[in-house]
Amino acid sequence: NFCNAGVNRCLDWDAAAHDGVFRYASLQSRTGQALLLQHGKRANDISSIVVVTPTRAWFESDAVLFIATQLEGLPRVLRATANLAQRIVPRWTRDGLYQVVANNRYIFGEQDQADGPSCRLDLDGNLQARFVDDPEL
């Protein structure tokens, strides 16, 4: 689906000494729900991409642009464009565009489970450390 494709692209472009900068967790997981609550969102609010650092959280277009500025494998011109967009395009405009894409993600690539797997297979286990484990209760 569209979201998984985004994670797959980030995995490709997040080189940072081959270990990557970003770690991934499903917003539906206990870890994801706890992070949402910690940053002022409802635990069941899965309406947006979220980036959490030790000092703050980004949502919607802020999250997408923050990610784009941090991905070393992303072409430099795209990282610079993301950085510029953060500074000159008003958040309400960026978030409006984000919502258009999010609300129409089926047009942009969301697929049914019947279409086959959309997540990358990690047959050799080298991506396992990039995903946050959900703690056992």
Side-chain angles (χ1 to χ4, degrees):
N1 66 36
F2 191 68
C3 299
N4 289 340
V7 170
N8 286 339
R9 283 288 181 210
C10 287
L11 287 167
D12 291 340
W13 291 329
D14 186 14
H18 306 290
D19 291 330
V21 170
F22 294 103
R23 301 294 176 265
Y24 305 91
S26 168
L27 291 178
Q28 295 95 330
S29 69
R30 287 185 295 275
T31 300
Q33 291 173 353
L35 289 170
L36 286 168
L37 288 171
Q38 182 179 355
H39 293 283
K41 299 288 187 179
R42 293 183 328 273
N44 65 346
D45 183 358
I46 59 170
S47 65
S48 172
I49 185 172
V50 180
V51 175
V52 177
T53 68
T55 58
R56 68 172 288 194
W58 285 267
F59 303 93
E60 295 186 344
S61 67
D62 287 332
V64 171
L65 293 172
F66 176 77
I67 292 167
T69 64
Q70 302 300 307
L71 294 174
E72 292 180 5
L74 190 65
R76 183 172 290 167
V77 68
L78 294 178
R79 290 195 322 264
T81 301
N83 196 1
L84 186 62
Q86 283 179 313
R87 295 177 184 179
I88 66 170
V89 178
R91 179 177 290 128
W92 63 268
T93 302
R94 291 186 279 115
D95 283 348
L97 178 60
Y98 176 91
Q99 287 301 321
V100 167
V101 172
N103 292 336
N104 293 285
R105 64 188 177 274
Y106 296 101
I107 295 169
F108 293 106
E110 190 85 6
Q111 59 179 277
D112 254 344
Q113 290 298 87
D115 292 339
S118 57
C119 291
R120 176 175 301 177
L121 296 177
D122 186 20
L123 299 176
D124 60 4
N126 67 350
L127 297 176
Q128 185 174 357
R130 307 290 295 281
F131 293 87
V132 178
D133 288 329
D134 213 19
E136 297 292 325
L137 289 179

